[in-house]
Amino acid sequence: MSKIRIVSLSLASAVLAAGFANMATAADDISLRLNWKMKGEFTPFVVAAQKGYFKAEGLNVTVNEGRGATQALQTVASGQDDIAYVPSIQTIKAINKGMPVKVVATVVKLDPMGMVSKSKIPLSKPKDLEGRTVEISPVSTLHQIWDAFAKKNNINVSKVKVVRAAPSARFNLLLSDKVDILGDVFLTNEYPVLQSKVKGKMNTLRVADWGFQLLGYTLVANNKLISGNPGAIKKFNAAAMKGFQFTLDHPDEAAAIAAKAHPNALKLETTKMQVAQLVDFLKRGKPAQMFVGDDAGWKRTLGVLKSSGVISNQKALGDYYTNAFVP
């Protein structure tokens, strides 16, 4: 073999080796769509980004704010985004309608839906709603399950004055004492914001404690991404789990990281309260293993939604969720 041929083969080998090296180290671009604007309960994802957990997994992750769970799911279904962080209820409804998505991580095992009142209004059990003026937004999940919730907890609905208000008007109704109880509050987000505006410790009631244990937030991916790049989803979950674990172990530090990264959206003290509520809910429900869902939880959620009339049909559990991408 001539020297010229040897050099040519050596160069070709070097080019191939460089190409394979680039393939091995090339980062996957992942677009995460949140279900709403930046808030404290999204802190674990901010932590994962700021502390380099995503990069360590070979991912370039863009965290995008949203305008509601339905919109977030639509962007994932269309391929505009790769993964959405949305509650299970909207996800189930979307899958029932044929949207090509599936849950790849069951993150919050109990939905943080709740009710709040000022300290002067007792609120420790559902019967406390009787004789009170209660705000229930017509676009809320509680509105959809209200009749079932009242029946299960023996609430005499004729003794409850329900006020239907636009979402933007809800807070002022409570702050101005025009209603006694806000009945559709996310305890991991809205309750801390309200508490920061009110003197005295507010009373809270968790809907999950009274017969309506629904699954909370989930990570949802497009079916094409699931089949086409399953490794990227596994890496994303691995990094996100580190962000959640750090938040569980160091809640105040995690809140400070999020507030510093998003100073225009997050106030430190409110973010600390939101993270504290998130940590509380992350420790509730089963299975205890992070990001893992089980048939019992999904069956329970589907059963509640069907019996309450939120959904009319129920698919096979495998159509809704998988644990295949949880490290």
Side-chain angles (χ1 to χ4, degrees):
M1 185 180 288
S2 69
K3 290 183 179 179
I4 293 176
R5 279 181 102 181
I6 292 172
V7 170
S8 298
L9 288 172
S10 298
L11 286 171
S13 298
V15 170
L16 283 172
F20 284 124
N22 287 335
M23 287 175 64
T25 59
D28 284 305
D29 293 325
I30 295 293
S31 173
L32 170 66
R33 180 67 61 175
L34 304 174
N35 82 313
W36 200 246
K37 296 180 180 179
M38 183 56 63
K39 48 189 177 180
E41 63 183 335
F42 299 146
T43 288
F45 298 109
V46 181
V47 168
Q50 294 297 312
K51 293 189 74 68
Y53 297 152
F54 289 127
K55 285 188 177 180
E57 292 289 341
L59 301 176
N60 289 323
V61 175
T62 303
V63 180
N64 301 305
E65 294 182 322
R67 297 195 303 272
T70 300
Q71 180 260 5
L73 286 162
Q74 288 171 344
T75 66
V76 170
S78 67
Q80 179 182 339
D81 292 302
D82 300 300
I83 297 174
Y85 188 56
V86 291
S88 67
I89 299 170
Q90 285 82 1
T91 302
I92 289 168
K93 292 169 72 175
I95 292 172
N96 277 6
K97 292 179 180 178
M99 195 172 286
V101 298
K102 182 181 288 188
V103 171
V104 293
T106 306
V107 182
V108 182
K109 312 301 171 64
L110 287 178
D111 189 278
M113 180 171 36
M115 307 180 187
V116 299
S117 69
K118 291 183 178 179
S119 58
K120 62 184 179 181
I121 305 295
L123 183 61
S124 61
K125 57 187 183 301
K127 291 287 283 185
D128 289 336
L129 273 63
E130 294 182 0
R132 301 295 181 183
T133 301
V134 181
E135 179 277 331
I136 302 177
S137 171
V139 297
S140 69
T141 301
L142 182 62
H143 167 71
Q144 297 181 33
I145 68 169
W146 167 243
D147 290 338
F149 180 81
K151 182 178 180 180
K152 186 173 185 65
N153 291 286
N154 197 29
I155 299 172
N156 186 339
V157 293
S158 67
K159 295 182 179 180
V160 181
K161 182 180 180 181
V162 175
V163 174
R164 309 293 186 188
S168 59
R170 295 163 52 242
F171 279 23
N172 282 336
L173 290 176
L174 184 73
L175 296 175
S176 62
D177 294 321
K178 292 181 179 178
V179 300
D180 300 313
I181 297 168
L182 286 187
D184 53 330
V185 173
F186 285 104
L187 297 177
T188 51
N189 172 36
E190 295 172 314
Y191 158 61
V193 175
L194 278 166
Q195 182 63 75
S196 68
K197 300 176 182 293
V198 175
K199 291 182 179 180
K201 181 67 174 177
M202 298 182 72
N203 299 314
T204 63
L205 184 147
R206 288 186 291 263
V207 171
D209 290 343
W210 298 94
F212 285 76
Q213 294 189 350
L214 303 170
L215 293 170
Y217 271 103
T218 62
L219 285 166
V220 180
N222 185 297
N223 289 343
K224 287 185 178 180
L225 180 65
I226 289 174
S227 60
N229 196 354
I233 301 175
K234 289 182 179 179
K235 291 176 182 179
F236 180 91
N237 278 347
M241 285 172 68
K242 291 179 182 178
F244 274 83
Q245 190 61 56
F246 184 92
T247 302
L248 283 165
D249 296 338
H250 312 282
D252 285 350
E253 185 178 350
I257 290 172
K260 183 178 180 180
H262 298 274
N264 294 329
L266 303 177
K267 294 181 179 179
L268 179 57
E269 292 307 312
T270 302
T271 302
K272 284 183 178 180
M273 289 191 288
Q274 290 173 327
V275 169
Q277 286 291 316
L278 172 64
V279 167
D280 178 60
F281 272 92
L282 287 172
K283 292 179 179 179
R284 297 175 181 272
K286 295 180 180 180
Q289 186 178 348
M290 190 178 294
F291 281 25
V292 173
D294 66 4
D295 287 356
W298 280 91
K299 284 180 180 178
R300 183 178 63 245
T301 298
L302 289 163
V304 169
L305 296 181
K306 190 172 182 181
S307 64
S308 302
V310 178
I311 60 174
S312 58
N313 64 303
Q314 181 177 325
K315 295 188 175 185
L317 295 179
D319 291 335
Y320 296 105
Y321 90 104
T322 177
N323 289 323
F325 303 99
V326 180

